[in-house]
Amino acid sequence: MQTALTQAVIDRAKLAKRPYEIRDSRLNGFLVRVQPSGVKSFYCEYDRGKRWRLGRADSMAVGQARNQAKRIISQYHSGIDPMDEKKSNARAITLGEFIDLFFQPWAQSHQKAHEQNIKRIRTVFKDFLKSKMDDINVIDLERWRASRIAVGNKTTTTNRDIASIKAVFNRAVDFEIIEQNPIAKVKKAREDTRPRVRYLNDEELKLLLESLDRREERRCGERDSANRWRSERGYRRLPDFKKCAFTDHLKPMIILSLHTGMRRGEVFDLKWQHVDFTVRSIAVVGETAKSGKTRHIPMNRTCLEVLGRWQKQCAKSSGRVFQNADGMRFNNVKKSWTAILEQAGIVNFRWHDMRHHFASRLAMAGVDLNAIRELLGHSDYEMTLRYAHLAPEHKRKAVELLD
């Protein structure tokens, strides 16, 4: 059959007892082959009896596959047979070249955090970027792991990096750039799957909130001083902070994180349309959630009050709840966050630890671990079990069943 290949067409393609093909009406030679097993693969048939497997349809977008097919057909018409080049290219392509030409375009359409992921891979595996993919082996990765551990990197970090680079090589196998993954046998090192979580004790929480209040007072004083200076010189005065609920985004952003357990990126992406003041609920939509699934977080009184005051202060009650001076999405708030911690005298506490603080406080208050899992949006219950030691009441009730 022949039709304009779209993702919808591929998704609707039914399974049959025998393989069959759907050819693209927009590009002659571009097709998808559907196997009885359910595997759907893109091919480029650039001449009679000559075809090139582009990759699986569940690992690359239709537009990306069509562009690769155009490139292959163009090369063939200019006198270059891709089949003749295939073996030499597989031996010659470097890790850096594969990332540039193949992995990065794929990641842009399949990974939410593709920019950070690729940047991380380039940084931690910079010594391998100029190496040919077939020349990188298990011993190279084990030596790399040993060197990272020697300079103080955590086992959890090296395991995560190894998983990332193995995924790159697996993608090269899918694209038929290399025949097999040469580092497939590299295994994760043993690690503590339930590490100690960092949360604020009562005194630290008090210090953090006091530091935020002092920052608000200081910024109000600085604005008053600036406006006196501007008035004396006939300049237009800046908005009076004393008439605002908050001097900027930082305090409401931190309060929201402490009382909802939202990830930093979820806070940055939150829009007013997902904040329901009537039912007192925040929707973290699937397109911005790490799990890809929408979840709803109830707002307590503190969160409701802070967001309500912040909304009245904002120039617009639509779009993102928090946006920078240019009206764009925040990338980070590291500088102001670090300053707040220093003034409060709080050490070893990251922005993400506010998520741990939220969950830890709930566990210590006796909230069921499954309810905590749903609030945090964990797809794996194992992730939530790290807070189990903070809920001793559950264990006590369990052993009391034996009395």
Side-chain angles (χ1 to χ4, degrees), residues 75-134:
Q75 288 179 342
Y76 183 68
H77 288 311
S78 64
I80 301 175
D81 191 331
M83 294 303 293
D84 295 337
E85 297 289 316
K86 186 175 183 179
K87 291 185 178 179
S88 60
N89 284 343
R91 298 191 191 100
I93 192 169
T94 66
L95 175 61
E97 290 170 341
F98 174 74
I99 292 174
D100 289 339
L101 298 174
F102 299 96
F103 188 75
Q104 185 168 350
W106 172 87
Q108 287 174 344
S109 58
H110 288 82
Q111 296 180 344
K112 291 181 181 178
H114 63 273
E115 291 183 3
Q116 300 94 313
N117 185 33
I118 292 175
K119 182 179 180 180
R120 176 75 181 176
I121 291 173
R122 291 185 187 280
T123 301
V124 299
F125 295 105
K126 60 182 179 180
D127 294 337
F128 295 112
L129 293 178
K130 294 183 179 180
S131 299
K132 297 176 182 178
M133 297 193 76
D134 280 346

Side-chain angles (χ1 to χ4, degrees), residues 33-52:
R33 184 174 178 83
V34 182
Q35 299 287 353
S37 63
V39 174
K40 303 171 185 177
S41 301
F42 292 116
Y43 284 87
C44 173
E45 190 174 79
Y46 55 93
D47 201 354
R48 183 182 298 274
K50 293 185 176 183
R51 57 171 55 186
W52 181 290

Side-chain angles (χ1 to χ4, degrees), residues 298-309:
M299 287 190 287
N300 61 17
R301 185 173 62 255
T302 301
C303 185
L304 187 69
E305 179 186 355
V306 167
L307 277 186
R309 293 168 63 196

Side-chain angles (χ1 to χ4, degrees), residues 53-317:
R53 184 175 179 275
L54 302 170
R56 291 175 54 149
D58 58 358
S59 63
M60 65 188 309
V62 180
Q64 179 186 359
R66 183 180 285 109
N67 289 335
Q68 287 192 22
K70 288 180 181 178
R71 178 175 58 81
I72 291 172
I73 294 171
S74 176
Q75 288 179 342
Y76 183 68
H77 288 311
S78 64
I80 301 175
D81 191 331
M83 294 303 293
D84 295 337
E85 297 289 316
K86 186 175 183 179
K87 291 185 178 179
S88 60
N89 284 343
R91 298 191 191 100
I93 192 169
T94 66
L95 175 61
E97 290 170 341
F98 174 74
I99 292 174
D100 289 339
L101 298 174
F102 299 96
F103 188 75
Q104 185 168 350
W106 172 87
Q108 287 174 344
S109 58
H110 288 82
Q111 296 180 344
K112 291 181 181 178
H114 63 273
E115 291 183 3
Q116 300 94 313
N117 185 33
I118 292 175
K119 182 179 180 180
R120 176 75 181 176
I121 291 173
R122 291 185 187 280
T123 301
V124 299
F125 295 105
K126 60 182 179 180
D127 294 337
F128 295 112
L129 293 178
K130 294 183 179 180
S131 299
K132 297 176 182 178
M133 297 193 76
D134 280 346
D135 291 341
I136 302 173
N137 54 44
V138 174
I139 295 177
D140 294 329
L141 263 293
E142 291 297 347
R143 288 173 176 167
W144 171 88
R145 191 209 305 263
S147 67
R148 299 289 291 181
I149 296 296
V151 296
N153 282 272
K154 296 180 180 179
T155 301
T156 305
T157 304
T158 56
N159 280 343
R160 186 165 54 246
D161 290 335
I162 286 175
S164 295
I165 195 65
K166 287 176 72 175
V168 173
F169 277 85
N170 286 335
R171 196 58 53 200
V173 174
D174 289 343
F175 292 164
E176 297 187 350
I177 300 298
I178 55 178
E179 293 185 2
Q180 59 184 5
N181 186 342
I183 60 172
K185 294 184 179 180
V186 178
K187 297 181 179 180
K188 290 184 177 181
R190 290 186 178 181
E191 59 180 281
D192 186 356
T193 57
R194 297 182 192 173
R196 176 180 177 273
V197 294
R198 176 72 167 98
Y199 60 91
L200 298 173
N201 58 38
D202 292 341
E203 181 62 23
E204 287 177 321
L205 179 59
K206 178 182 177 183
L207 290 173
L208 176 63
L209 297 179
E210 288 177 348
S211 182
L212 285 172
D213 290 339
R214 286 196 301 270
R215 180 179 181 272
E216 292 286 298
E217 293 174 3
R218 184 176 63 255
R219 286 174 56 84
C220 282
E222 291 171 351
R223 176 56 60 90
D224 289 342
S225 177
N227 277 334
R228 285 195 298 271
W229 184 90
R230 297 175 73 88
S231 295
E232 292 171 356
R233 289 159 180 78
Y235 297 141
R236 184 170 61 87
R237 290 171 58 89
L238 300 173
D240 188 354
F241 279 158
K242 290 181 179 179
K243 296 180 180 180
C244 302
F246 307 98
T247 60
D248 67 357
H249 60 276
L250 188 64
K251 185 174 180 178
M253 194 180 279
I254 290 175
I255 298 297
L256 176 66
S257 299
L258 289 171
H259 288 262
T260 63
M262 293 172 64
R263 297 179 178 90
R264 187 183 67 172
E266 293 170 346
V267 172
F268 290 169
D269 286 322
L270 181 63
K271 295 181 179 179
W272 284 117
Q273 67 190 69
H274 301 136
V275 180
D276 193 326
F277 288 100
T278 303
V279 299
R280 299 174 57 166
S281 176
I282 294 175
V284 179
V285 295
E287 62 187 39
T288 62
K290 184 178 180 180
S291 65
K293 298 179 180 179
T294 298
R295 72 181 190 277
H296 298 272
I297 306 173
M299 287 190 287
N300 61 17
R301 185 173 62 255
T302 301
C303 185
L304 187 69
E305 179 186 355
V306 167
L307 277 186
R309 293 168 63 196
W310 177 246
Q311 186 187 47
K312 292 179 181 178
Q313 175 178 329
C314 294
K316 296 181 179 179
S317 293

